[in-house]
Amino acid sequence: MNKNALIRATALALTALSATYSIADDSVFKIGLILPMTGQQASTGRQIEAAARLYMAQNGDTVAGKKIQLIIKDDTTIPDVTKRLAQELVVNEKVNVLAGFGITPSALATAPIATQSKTPMVVMAAATSSITQASPYIVRTSFTLAQASVAMGDWAPKNGIKKVVTLVSDYGPGIDAEKYFIERLLLNGGQVAESLRVPMRSPDFAPFLQKVRDQKPDGLFVFVPSGAGAAVMKQFLERGMDKAGIKLIGTGDVTDDDQLNDMGDGALNVVTSHHYSAAHPSATNKKFVEAFQKANKGMRPNFMAVGGYDGMRVIYEALKASKGQGGGDGLLAAMKGQIFESPRGPMFIDGQTRDVVQNIYLRKVQRQDGQLHNVEFDVIKDVKDPGKTR
Ligand code: DHB
C-alpha cells in the first residue's frame, strides 16, 4: 500500500470508528448540571436540583427518542472547581449541555469551555448582565440584577423613599444592582446618601448597618445573594432600624422565598422588585408550587428553583425541536427565541442576546394563609436586560 492509500484507509477506519461511537452515544442525551451543593450558596444548589428533578419527573426522561441523563456535580461555590468540573464533563462525559451556575464567578470561569467545545451553557442562577456576553453559547433562564433594580429605582422615590443608602455584595451582581438602582433613583429625583459594599464571602453586616443608621436615610436598598437575606433582615431589625423610620428595600433576593417564612413579622411590608414569587397568582404557578412542595417535604420553591425548572424546559424543547441534529449549534439555535408561560409569568429567550425577557413585579411581604409571602402588587411587563452593552 502506498503512503496516500494508507492515509485514506486510516481515515476511513477512523470515520467508521467515530460513526460507531456516535451511534452508541446518540441514544443518550447528557445534561451536566454544575451547582453549589455545599458551601455558602448551598441553598441555590438544593433548590435547582429539586426543580430539575421535578421537571424530569413531570415530563419524562425520554425526549426525541433519547434518554436524558442528568449528571449533577457539586462545585462547592468555588469558581475554579466549576471550571474543572465543566472541563471533565465535556471531555470525559461528552455532555450535550452544561447547566446550573450558582454564582457569577462560576459562570464566567466556565464560559471559555462552552465556547471552545461549542456546548450550550444554560445559566439557571447567576445574574450579572455581562455573563451572556462571555460566550455565544450561553443562554440564561434566571434574571439580571439590572432588570430587577431599575423597577425599584422607579418605585422608591415615587413612594416617599428619596434619600437612600445602598448596601450591596461586592461582586458582579451587587455592582450591577447598585449601578442600575442609583441611575433610576437619580433620574426620579432621589438622592444617594452613601454606597456601601460588603464582601461576598462570609459578610459581617453589623459595621455597615451602623453606618446606615448614622446616615438616617429614608430607605436602605440591599442586594445580597440568595441565602444571605435572613441575616440582613435580622440585623436590620435588631438595630431597630425599622423603628428609626428607615425602610428596607431591595431586589427580591433579600426576601428570598427559601427563607422568608422564618424571618418573622419584622419582615412584614418590606417592598422588593423581582421576577418570581412563590405567591405569583397564576394557575401554572400554583401547580408548580404544589408539586414542588409535595416532592420536597414542603420546601417552598424560590427564584433559583424557577430558573432551574425553566432551564430544563428550554433544554427539553430545544432537543425536541432540533431532534438532536446539528450538535451543540443546532441545540443552541433551538433555544433562542423560545417563548412560554413559566411559573413566574410569560418568558422569552431573546434570540439576539440569549438572555431572558420577563415581567418584573413589585411585591410587599404580607401574611397569606398564615405564611409570610412576597405578594405582588404591580408589574412592569416584558423587561429586557437594561445592562446589555451590545
Ligand atoms: C447571583 C447569586 C445569587 O445568589 C443571587 O441571588 C443573584 C445573583 C450571582 O452570583 O450572579
Side-chain angles (χ1 to χ4, degrees):
M1 209 188 283
N2 69 27
K3 199 172 151 202
N4 276 347
L6 184 66
I7 291 170
R8 268 201 303 276
T10 312
L12 263 175
L14 282 178
T15 311
L17 200 66
S18 68
T20 319
Y21 270 98
S22 62
I23 286 165
D25 274 349
D26 255 12
S27 63
V28 180
F29 184 90
K30 294 185 181 179
I31 303 172
L33 184 60
I34 311 177
L35 293 169
M37 300 306 303
T38 54
Q40 184 173 306
Q41 300 309 120
S43 67
T44 297
R46 173 164 44 82
Q47 288 272 351
I48 294 181
E49 176 180 3
R53 293 203 188 282
L54 176 65
Y55 190 86
M56 290 183 72
Q58 290 176 331
N59 294 278
D61 62 358
T62 306
V63 179
K66 293 176 199 292
K67 185 97 178 153
I68 307 288
Q69 188 185 346
L70 189 66
I71 306 173
I72 301 185
K73 298 281 180 191
D74 175 14
D75 69 13
T76 68
T77 325
I78 298 175
D80 285 347
V81 177
T82 322
K83 184 177 183 179
R84 178 173 54 74
L85 291 171
Q87 185 108 42
E88 286 170 11
L89 285 168
V90 165
V91 174
N92 302 339
E93 294 284 352
K94 313 230 171 341
V95 293
N96 300 87
V97 186
L98 289 164
F101 309 101
I103 53 170
T104 289
S106 290
L108 292 177
T110 308
I113 292 171
T115 307
Q116 284 153 23
S117 64
K118 299 184 186 295
T119 308
M121 171 172 157
V122 178
V123 174
M124 296 169 160
T128 302
S129 286
S130 64
I131 289 173
T132 45
Q133 291 162 13
S135 167
Y137 286 87
I138 291 179
V139 167
R140 175 158 35 203
T141 59
S142 51
F143 75 111
T144 74
L145 268 305
Q147 239 171 6
S149 304
V150 158
M152 188 46 75
D154 281 336
W155 184 85
K158 290 176 186 158
N159 288 274
I161 304 172
K162 290 200 155 54
K163 181 181 162 190
V164 181
V165 173
T166 60
L167 175 69
V168 302
S169 201
D170 191 7
Y171 76 119
I175 289 158
D176 276 2
E178 180 192 277
K179 175 174 177 219
Y180 288 92
F181 170 75
I182 289 178
E183 203 173 281
R184 283 304 255 257
L185 179 77
L186 297 180
L187 233 143
N188 288 297
Q191 175 196 344
V192 183
E194 196 167 354
S195 289
L196 304 169
R197 294 180 181 178
V198 297
M200 189 258 171
R201 304 266 173 196
S202 315
D204 174 10
F205 300 108
F208 295 95
L209 290 174
Q210 191 53 50
K211 278 194 184 176
V212 179
R213 253 208 98 133
D214 298 343
Q215 287 280 2
K216 295 191 179 56
D218 302 323
L220 171 64
F221 171 87
V222 173
F223 165 78
V224 286
S226 184
V232 173
M233 185 70 76
K234 184 164 177 276
Q235 295 192 26
F236 182 85
L237 297 172
E238 273 173 9
R239 279 159 199 278
M241 295 175 68
D242 54 333
K243 305 226 162 53
I246 302 169
K247 292 256 188 319
L248 180 65
I249 52 173
T251 57
D253 312 69
V254 73
T255 54
D256 190 340
D257 271 310
D258 192 65
Q259 302 183 314
L260 177 61
N261 203 33
D262 296 324
M263 288 185 194
D265 282 354
L268 281 169
N269 301 318
V270 168
V271 175
T272 55
S273 52
H274 229 206
H275 59 295
Y276 180 66
S277 163
H280 179 64
S282 72
T284 301
N285 185 50
K286 285 202 171 91
K287 237 177 83 191
F288 168 68
V289 173
E290 243 176 64
F292 188 94
Q293 294 200 302
K294 195 165 166 220
N296 296 284
K297 301 194 180 89
M299 174 163 79
R300 186 193 287 183
N302 71 355
F303 60 99
M304 293 302 185
V306 90
Y309 190 76
D310 291 338
M312 288 298 284
R313 179 187 176 123
V314 166
I315 295 168
Y316 266 49
E317 292 301 320
L319 178 55
K320 270 188 213 165
S322 67
K323 299 185 180 61
Q325 305 290 306
D329 285 305
L331 204 60
L332 180 75
M335 289 180 180
K336 294 178 184 176
Q338 283 194 29
I339 185 161
F340 57 92
E341 195 200 345
S342 151
R344 70 186 85 183
M347 156 156 182
F348 169 54
I349 303 292
D350 186 334
Q352 307 254 277
T353 61
R354 291 162 279 102
D355 220 332
V356 51
V357 178
Q358 59 192 335
N359 292 347
I360 296 296
Y361 305 89
L362 286 154
R363 315 98 47 86
K364 184 187 268 192
V365 177
Q366 307 205 294
R367 275 206 185 274
Q368 248 182 17
D369 302 327
Q371 303 214 333
L372 291 177
H373 272 290
N374 291 299
V375 178
E376 295 166 358
F377 64 88
D378 203 357
V379 57
I380 301 105
K381 292 207 164 134
D382 303 326
V383 181
K384 278 188 156 201
D385 175 26
K388 287 286 170 285
T389 50
R390 65 181 141 90

